[in-house]
Amino acid sequence: NAGVTQTPKFQVLKTGQSMTLQCAQDMNHNSMYWYRQDPGMGLRLIYYSASEGTTDKGEVPNGYNVSRLNKREFSLRLESAAPSQTSVYFCASSEALGTGSYEQYFGPGTRLTVT
Amino acid sequence: AQSVAQPEDQVNVAEGNPLTVKCTYSVSGNPYLFWYVQYPNRGLQFLLKYITGDNLVKGSYGFEAEFNKSQTSFHLKNPSALVSDSALYFCAVRDRGRRALTFGSGTRLQVQP
């Protein structure tokens, strides 16, 4: 099993450009998440999807959109990138509530720089 | 609201010595608590969790953590540090009934040979 995979690994954008970060998991998990990691701030939740067909805002959703394409895939889109979105982005997945498994599994991350 | 505090930006310890990485939390109900480790240029790896039951939980690589409800703490411990344990450690909390984790700001562990 590959676990959680993310593409691309690195990306440089100019202000105003758009891009989509891709995430896929092969663990048959119901819930998927997007976080950003900034120095000294830990990880902050951008959006999450509790199950296929649903998405909800997290702590820092402004400037982002998401799509839960199917059970495996959860993409994050930046419509008009800003330098404040320079960060490392992590995708994660977990089982649904009530299944007895609570931990999240993380992908390797995408390092995004917006100039 | 749920929150996590990791009061130490960095912990330094000599190899073979015991280590403690501190974490305190705040939730409105009963918590689920987690520790994750991050090695350079890698994603987060799950170490251990407290869900219910025994307050002392054991995880990977000799790590353990003690849930203390009265002090709202969940400190990570290892009785004998290895140089290879040097990494960034994150504590996280989730209120029961909520889906999202809230992470602390992280503590860098440096184990000197």
Side-chain angles (χ1 to χ4, degrees), chain A residues 31 33 35 37 40-43 45 48 50 90 96-97 100-109 111, chain B residues 32 34 36 38 41-46 49 51 88 90 94 97-106:
Chain A
S31 301
Y33 311 82
Y35 293 90
Q37 183 181 25
M41 299 188 73
L43 278 76
L45 183 66
Y48 66 98
F90 289 101
L97 287 180
S101 176
Y102 304 89
E103 58 269 29
Q104 294 182 11
Y105 295 85
F106 285 80
R111 189 174 296 274
Chain B
Y32 296 147
F34 306 84
Y36 286 84
Q38 185 180 32
N41 301 313
R42 303 286 296 275
L44 276 69
Q45 295 178 29
F46 169 74
K49 64 186 176 188
I51 304 300
L88 191 55
F90 289 98
R94 201 186 91 194
R98 291 190 59 175
R99 299 187 185 280
L101 286 175
T102 296
F103 285 84
S105 54

Side-chain angles (χ1 to χ4, degrees), chain B:
Chain B
Q2 53 190 36
S3 64
V4 177
Q6 292 183 243
E8 302 153 317
D9 290 336
Q10 182 156 322
V11 169
N12 298 307
V13 64
E15 189 172 32
N17 283 1
L19 68 89
T20 299
V21 182
K22 295 179 181 177
C23 170
T24 58
Y25 66 90
S26 174
V27 295
S28 56
N30 291 318
Y32 296 147
L33 293 155
F34 306 84
W35 276 102
Y36 286 84
V37 60
Q38 185 180 32
Y39 297 99
N41 301 313
R42 303 286 296 275
L44 276 69
Q45 295 178 29
F46 169 74
L47 269 183
L48 52 78
K49 64 186 176 188
Y50 171 80
I51 304 300
T52 188
D54 195 347
N55 289 345
L56 183 66
V57 293
K58 294 186 184 294
S60 310
Y61 314 117
F63 284 92
E64 58 187 30
E66 185 164 14
F67 171 60
N68 187 318
K69 188 172 183 177
S70 63
Q71 298 186 2
T72 61
S73 66
F74 189 57
H75 301 331
L76 181 70
K77 300 185 179 187
N78 192 311
S80 181
L82 300 174
V83 172
S84 58
D85 292 331
S86 298
L88 191 55
Y89 290 80
F90 289 98
C91 182
V93 67
R94 201 186 91 194
D95 199 345
R96 296 177 190 223
R98 291 190 59 175
R99 299 187 185 280
L101 286 175
T102 296
F103 285 84
S105 54
T107 298
R108 187 164 301 281
L109 174 66
Q110 281 288 124
V111 182
Q112 282 107 17

Side-chain angles (χ1 to χ4, degrees), chain A residues 37-60:
Chain A
Q37 183 181 25
D38 301 294
M41 299 188 73
L43 278 76
R44 293 180 293 168
L45 183 66
I46 305 171
Y47 270 94
Y48 66 98
S49 171
S51 60
E52 188 178 350
T54 68
T55 60
D56 287 285
K57 294 179 181 179
E59 183 183 352
V60 288

